[in-house]
Amino acid sequence: MDICKIHENASKCSVNTMECFMVLRTQAQKISIATLCGLFGTLCIFENSLVLYLIFSSPRTRRKPSYLFISSLALADILASIIFVCSFVNFHVFNETDFSKETFLLQLGGVNTSFSASLSSLLLTALDRYISISRPSEYKLLMTRKRTWIALGVLWVTCATIASLPLLGWNCCTLDSTCSELFPFVDENYLSSWICFIMVLLGCIIYAYAHVLWRAHQHVAYMEKHQVGKQNTRMRMDVMLAKTLVMVLTVLTLCWSPVLVLMIYSIFARLSNHLRKAFAFCSTLCLLNSMVNPIIYALRSKELYSSLRMVFSRFRRQRKASEESPEAESTHKSSVIET
């Protein structure tokens, strides 16, 4: 019997069948995946760590709900990059199979939790901006720090719970059900449910940002019609806001669509080896999304950008002082000798 027929009950839950999911056969493919993961992962960790430092080093920014949501996004992206890169490279590049079903599902749960928390943080950020533009007079009453922390707590607990369901028993080995062709031990019904969860998150994010963009456009049209601060309005129109939102929706669509389309296709039809290889490469786009998030959400903020400039200027002053100190010391010594 072919070991790669993962739908056969006799072999679908064997550890050896994980070799069937190692679709990268050539050295060039493995080097390409390792390079992409290493590059995206390193930049993702650096950028998001910088964002967390900039937010929590300033008492002003760490108290604002919008920056707390961005902090949650940065933390989720850091965890996603670490867990995803380590497990993905270990599995597809080094072809490690010396672990149990529980260990694999624990790693998969960590990846799902971090990516789900990243998207959920994007949703909370979108809702925060939705409320700020649709109900500006009530924003401070609605978005208190207490409600912000409660929302973040619910977010992380929900994502961790959903991601841990396969480890807790919702897998094709325990249920003796149909396994996914993309993930070992994962039940197809669970995969369908997780896809629906992610699709709902993406749909809500797109709706919220589309509404924000529409309201901003309405505001600018009203201000131009009544000739109120026409030039200032056109500058604030959220040319900045519009560009940011278009970037958000474009990046989300480009990074998540290929993975979700292949996941959905795998539920209704058998995947060829070429499509499974394509899925492996498309998975790195989710990591790319985590790398781009800090640029879109955080470093385009005027407050964080000014904080970043202060950090760099402080670093330059310290470096300049350290370079000048030996010269000053040598000058002092020479003057002592002359005396």
Side-chain angles (χ1 to χ4, degrees):
M1 181 171 59
D2 185 2
I3 196 173
C4 290
K5 291 180 179 179
I6 59 176
H7 289 286
E8 294 292 336
N9 290 333
S11 63
K12 68 179 182 179
C13 292
S14 170
V15 175
N16 292 330
T17 58
M18 284 195 289
E19 296 177 3
C20 305
F21 295 88
M22 299 173 181
V23 293
L24 305 181
R25 302 301 179 188
T26 66
Q27 197 66 19
Q29 293 172 349
K30 294 181 179 181
I31 292 174
S32 299
I33 282 287
T35 302
L36 289 174
C37 288
L39 177 62
F40 293 162
T42 302
L43 290 175
C44 181
I45 294 172
F46 171 75
E47 292 172 359
N48 286 287
S49 298
L50 178 62
V51 168
L52 288 177
Y53 171 77
L54 293 176
I55 290 175
F56 286 99
S57 63
S58 170
R60 184 180 177 184
T61 54
R62 66 170 175 254
R63 290 173 184 166
K64 292 185 177 181
S66 57
Y67 287 110
L68 290 177
F69 294 144
I70 291 176
S71 300
S72 174
L73 173 64
L75 177 61
D77 286 336
I78 289 174
L79 293 176
S81 61
I82 294 173
I83 301 173
F84 177 83
V85 169
C86 292
S87 58
F88 196 78
V89 171
N90 193 44
F91 187 81
H92 283 290
V93 176
F94 297 110
N95 299 140
E96 288 290 334
T97 59
D98 189 21
F99 48 79
S100 63
K101 176 192 72 175
E102 288 74 19
T103 303
F104 177 83
L105 291 177
L106 181 63
Q107 292 177 353
L108 184 63
V111 173
N112 287 347
T113 299
S114 50
F115 278 128
S116 300
S118 177
L119 285 178
S120 299
S121 298
L122 291 181
L123 175 58
L124 289 183
T125 304
L127 293 176
D128 176 74
R129 295 180 181 181
Y130 175 88
I131 294 172
S132 68
I133 197 169
S134 62
R135 305 173 72 176
S137 60
E138 303 174 33
Y139 175 77
K140 289 187 177 180
L141 294 175
L142 294 173
M143 298 302 297
T144 61
R145 290 192 71 201
K146 181 179 179 181
R147 289 180 177 177
T148 300
W149 283 110
I150 290 174
L152 290 175
V154 171
L155 177 158
W156 282 91
V157 170
T158 302
C159 292
T161 302
I162 293 174
S164 62
L165 289 177
L167 184 62
L168 296 175
W170 192 355
N171 57 72
C172 57
C173 302
T174 303
L175 301 177
D176 194 26
S177 55
T178 304
C179 290
S180 167
E181 289 189 73
L182 294 174
F183 305 100
F185 314 125
V186 173
D187 180 72
E188 274 197 351
N189 292 326
Y190 170 79
L191 182 61
S192 302
S193 302
W194 189 82
I195 291 171
C196 291
F197 173 64
I198 297 300
M199 294 288 284
V200 169
L201 289 179
L202 291 174
C204 292
I205 292 170
I206 292 172
Y207 172 80
Y209 277 134
H211 186 81
V212 169
L213 192 57
W214 176 67
R215 289 298 294 267
H217 175 72
Q218 270 192 329
H219 176 70
V220 170
Y222 174 83
M223 298 294 280
E224 288 186 350
K225 181 179 179 181
H226 293 80
Q227 300 296 318
V228 180
K230 186 174 181 179
Q231 293 300 323
N232 291 335
T233 305
R234 192 165 291 178
M235 287 296 293
R236 84 176 266 288
M237 156 108 190
D238 309 326
V239 166
M240 215 31 202
L241 176 63
K243 286 181 179 178
T244 300
L245 298 185
V246 169
M247 287 173 62
V248 167
L249 300 180
T250 302
V251 169
L252 274 177
T253 303
L254 291 178
C255 291
W256 281 91
S257 292
V259 170
L260 291 175
V261 167
L262 288 173
M263 282 185 182
I264 295 171
Y265 182 77
S266 71
I267 295 173
F268 298 102
R270 295 294 300 270
L271 293 177
S272 65
N273 286 333
H274 293 296
L275 287 178
R276 292 166 69 191
K277 288 177 185 177
F279 179 79
F281 280 94
C282 289
S283 298
T284 61
L285 292 177
C286 300
L287 191 61
L288 175 64
N289 185 35
S290 296
M291 187 193 77
V292 175
N293 280 338
I295 300 172
I296 297 177
Y297 287 91
L299 299 182
R300 288 174 66 86
S301 163
K302 290 182 179 179
E303 290 178 303
L304 292 186
Y305 182 71
S306 62
S307 298
L308 182 62
R309 290 183 63 183
M310 290 177 60
V311 169
F312 280 128
S313 62
R314 193 186 313 139
F315 174 74
R316 283 198 297 266
R317 285 197 301 268
Q318 291 176 351
R319 185 177 178 181
K320 187 176 180 180
S322 64
E323 289 176 353
E324 290 178 351
S325 57
E327 296 177 2
E329 186 178 353
S330 61
T331 304
H332 175 72
K333 286 181 178 179
S334 61
S335 63
V336 170
I337 292 173
E338 290 175 0
T339 304

